[in-house]
Amino acid sequence: MTTRHLPLFLAACLPAIALAGGAHSHGNAELDVAVEAPAILVELRVPLHDLVGFERPPRNRAERERVEQAIARLEAADRLFRIDPAGGCELAAAAIEAPLLGRQGDGAPSPAVAGQPAHGDLVGSFRFECRDARAARHLDLGLFPAFKSIRTVDARVASPGGQSAQRLRATQPRLILADRPQR
């Protein structure tokens, strides 16, 4: 598969993986990043509990406010995913999907569905349009201070320079996007 096809592959597979009820570990998020000029695509999967403190539809006003605050933080993705300024990247799109919270991937509310799994994840998809995506060498992750329950992030990167995986922590929040010399 070429890097040109990676965004389509990620778009097709990630929602199915998130909804399949695979590995779900509180305190751990998963991040996939694809560097494909002129964009950098970011997909985040995180247990709802780490974002809002529960994994079910909100039951009262305080819980609904927690959900809205978490979604607002995620939609301000340029604060959570600070891409190396050398790439000249700006947030172009953000989509949040969390069926247990009544969120479709397009941001539209959806009705809560009976029989949802006991463990729910949120999937966030973010597109950054860049002046030169390949020049961006790193991404600094702002998830840790924004969501204190997230302790680790397992990150995977696919770029023209190859593929890599890293485990990020609050003490090491920098994701390396490219292990190659700049042009």
Side-chain angles (χ1 to χ4, degrees):
M1 166 182 351
T2 66
T3 338
R4 184 171 62 88
H5 297 107
L6 185 62
L8 296 173
F9 175 77
L10 287 174
C13 293
L14 289 176
I17 291 168
L19 296 175
H24 175 99
S25 176
H26 292 188
N28 185 44
E30 295 180 7
L31 188 69
D32 288 309
V33 178
V35 179
E36 182 171 322
I40 294 179
L41 307 172
V42 178
E43 296 278 348
L44 171 70
R45 283 172 309 288
V46 62
L48 287 173
H49 189 272
D50 294 330
L51 301 174
V52 297
F54 52 89
E55 295 185 34
R56 56 173 166 66
R59 293 184 179 149
N60 56 47
R61 176 188 278 178
E63 288 182 350
R64 283 189 295 279
E65 288 175 5
R66 257 191 286 174
V67 167
E68 290 308 313
Q69 289 171 356
I71 289 172
R73 280 188 201 134
L74 290 165
E75 287 175 338
D78 50 348
R79 294 181 185 164
L80 299 177
F81 309 107
R82 295 182 301 273
I83 298 172
D84 180 357
C89 301
E90 293 191 18
L91 180 63
I96 307 297
E97 183 174 331
L100 286 177
L101 299 180
R103 293 287 299 209
Q104 300 282 56
D106 58 7
S110 65
V113 178
Q116 288 282 357
H119 294 288
D121 288 342
L122 178 140
V123 177
S125 302
F126 312 96
R127 180 179 180 85
F128 292 85
E129 291 292 332
C130 306
R131 184 180 62 253
D132 185 0
R134 293 182 66 158
R137 310 221 0 108
H138 64 269
L139 178 152
D140 290 324
L141 200 56
L143 281 174
F144 300 109
F147 300 103
K148 304 281 188 207
S149 292
I150 298 175
R151 293 183 307 275
T152 60
V153 174
D154 291 326
R156 292 169 295 279
V157 177
S159 71
Q163 298 178 7
S164 65
Q166 300 170 55
R167 175 165 274 190
L168 306 175
R169 293 178 168 73
T171 56
Q172 296 176 315
R174 179 164 282 183
L175 176 62
I176 303 303
L177 298 177
D179 285 331
R180 65 190 186 289
Q182 283 187 321
R183 300 181 265 148

